[in-house]
Amino acid sequence: MKIIAAIARFRPRAPIVALTESATVCRSLTLVSGAAPLCVPSDADAQARITRARDWLYVHALARPGDQAVVLSTLAGVGETADTLQVLRLP
């Protein structure tokens, strides 16, 4: 949650979609201006989480196919600090 708040503090123009399996973290992130928390099942793999975030962006007209997205994540779910950055082109 700290990394999301730190990024949101700079007020980026791009939306910040925060995926978490914790209902408590999801509720806490609603207080972070500029962040859109999404609760995901704990059994969802990384690709399923990215797909859910992409679909949310499309539904809310915040992204279109071909747009770029930056994904911060923890490697294989180990630890709580984001340690992986990917730049993806949305299909």
Side-chain angles (χ1 to χ4, degrees):
M1 186 171 122
K2 290 180 184 179
I3 190 99
I4 299 300
I7 293 169
R9 185 178 67 205
F10 292 102
R11 305 285 190 249
R13 291 185 307 188
I16 301 168
V17 181
L19 293 105
T20 179
E21 58 192 44
S22 167
T24 303
V25 171
C26 204
R27 283 191 302 273
S28 295
L29 284 170
T30 62
L31 300 174
V32 176
S33 178
L38 293 178
C39 291
V40 294
S42 60
D43 61 347
D45 65 358
Q47 189 58 44
R49 290 172 184 243
I50 291 170
T51 299
R52 179 160 175 160
R54 181 202 66 207
D55 292 346
W56 186 90
L57 288 166
Y58 287 169
V59 165
H60 290 86
L62 295 172
R64 298 184 310 257
D67 285 352
Q68 287 187 329
V70 176
V71 178
L72 290 172
S73 60
T74 57
L75 184 62
V78 177
E80 295 182 13
T81 303
D83 61 4
T84 305
L85 183 139
Q86 300 173 54
V87 179
L88 307 172
R89 186 158 308 276
L90 299 174

